[in-house]
Amino acid sequence: MKGRDGVFFMHEIVYFASPGLAESARLCLELSGVEWKNTVVDWDGYSELKASGILPYGYLPIIKTPSGVIAESNALLRYTGALAGLEPDDLHVRAKVDELVDVINGWRDHFMPTFGIEDLDEKIAARQALFVEGGSMDVALKLISSVYAESKTGWLANTASMSIADVKAFVDTFMLFSGQFDGVTKDLLDQYPLLLQFHDWMANDERVKAYFAKTDDMRWVFKPEAFNTI
Ligand SMILES: N[C@@H](CCC(=O)N[C@@H](CS)C(=O)NCC(=O)O)C(=O)O
């Protein structure tokens, strides 16, 4: 795989500029220490890629690896997480980590219907309803909080070191509160003090901190001071 200047890149993530569905894999690649390239495309670039036939299922993100292209954000997470040593060796522990990854991925289903709401006030109301006591995201975030409460190690799945569950939870949870989703404001996080504690833990991990320190304002939610945590 050759870059613009003929430079050989071992791994290349292709996605839009936003964190979206690629940020967890980007973070894992950074933690892995392998050489990687972050290729950002706009909608025209996406259309060209789609027409070229390189996208296995017609969507982004993809990762180009020395062995070929991989699609589906969670496949990217698992692959790059393995490169970074974030996949536990023990199969049971790994399955418990995967369980969390899949549960967190399911949050998309709660949000999906709100994307189709055209009226802004209606959209905001529908999103806010997700976070009222008993709303589907309130329930989801409390469940994750209770998982975190059980951790003796500080890592979400109670692993000895960081796992892909931590990466998934960190990226997917706090991205929600970046302001890019109308109606989802950062003050809603005050209802989940354990999640703020988790944010503090992850954002202050030296490797995570170093990565986000050099990223743009769109990624402010991943920085240590983002929510004025404890
Ligand atoms: N299940 C896929 C979904 C990918 C997906 O929906 N990608 C969006 C960008 S966030 C996309 O490519 N949209 C282009 C389109 O819908 O035409 C994954 O998790 O990677």
Side-chain angles (χ1 to χ4, degrees):
M1 227 168 300
K2 293 231 170 118
R4 192 170 42 109
D5 305 318
V7 181
F8 181 78
F9 291 104
M10 291 292 288
H11 289 87
E12 179 181 357
I13 293 216
V14 185
Y15 191 60
F16 303 102
S18 65
L21 298 178
E23 199 67 10
S24 54
R26 286 173 176 142
L27 176 56
C28 286
L29 280 178
E30 191 68 13
L31 300 187
S32 76
V34 303
E35 200 180 345
W36 71 286
K37 185 185 179 201
N38 186 33
T39 295
V40 169
V41 294
D42 56 15
W43 277 95
D44 288 342
Y46 162 68
S47 300
E48 281 168 28
L49 285 171
K50 196 169 175 175
S52 79
I54 194 185
L55 307 180
Y57 304 101
Y59 293 107
L60 290 175
I62 54 162
I63 183 169
K64 296 179 185 173
T65 81
S67 310
V69 172
I70 302 169
E72 284 298 312
S73 52
N74 284 328
L76 268 60
L77 171 62
R78 291 185 170 102
Y79 176 85
T80 56
L83 283 177
L86 305 185
E87 284 274 39
D89 291 333
D90 180 278
L91 285 186
H92 181 259
V93 178
R94 189 186 295 205
K96 295 305 283 183
V97 163
D98 276 346
E99 210 178 75
L100 284 163
V101 167
D102 288 348
V103 160
I104 293 166
N105 207 56
W107 296 352
R108 289 186 206 173
D109 296 343
H110 304 315
F111 275 89
M112 264 324 162
T114 69
F115 285 104
I117 303 174
E118 276 177 26
D119 181 83
L120 183 60
D121 291 338
E122 236 180 83
K123 183 186 282 190
I124 289 173
R127 294 213 175 125
Q128 287 175 341
L130 301 175
F131 291 90
V132 299
E133 175 99 41
S136 57
M137 279 310 298
D138 176 62
V139 171
L141 294 180
K142 283 179 178 154
L143 264 172
I144 288 295
S145 298
S146 65
V147 170
Y148 193 55
E150 295 295 313
S151 171
K152 294 179 178 57
T153 61
W155 305 109
L156 185 61
N158 199 29
T159 44
S161 56
M162 188 189 294
S163 77
I164 57 168
D166 295 292
V167 172
K168 178 80 175 172
F170 184 60
V171 170
D172 283 29
T173 303
F174 299 105
M175 201 165 55
L176 289 176
F177 300 94
S178 68
Q180 75 176 108
F181 300 109
D182 297 314
V184 187
T185 48
K186 68 174 190 170
D187 56 290
L188 290 169
L189 265 175
D190 294 341
Q191 304 173 82
Y192 314 103
L194 280 171
L195 292 184
L196 288 173
Q197 209 175 304
F198 176 65
H199 181 278
D200 207 43
W201 176 259
M202 282 295 286
N204 284 295
D205 176 276
E206 287 307 324
R207 300 157 297 171
V208 174
K209 194 161 135 181
Y211 174 56
F212 287 112
K214 56 185 188 190
T215 60
D216 57 19
D217 289 349
M218 219 189 295
R219 288 160 175 78
W220 67 270
V221 288
F222 305 123
K223 300 187 185 191
E225 68 285 359
F227 303 105
N228 290 327
T229 53
I230 46 173

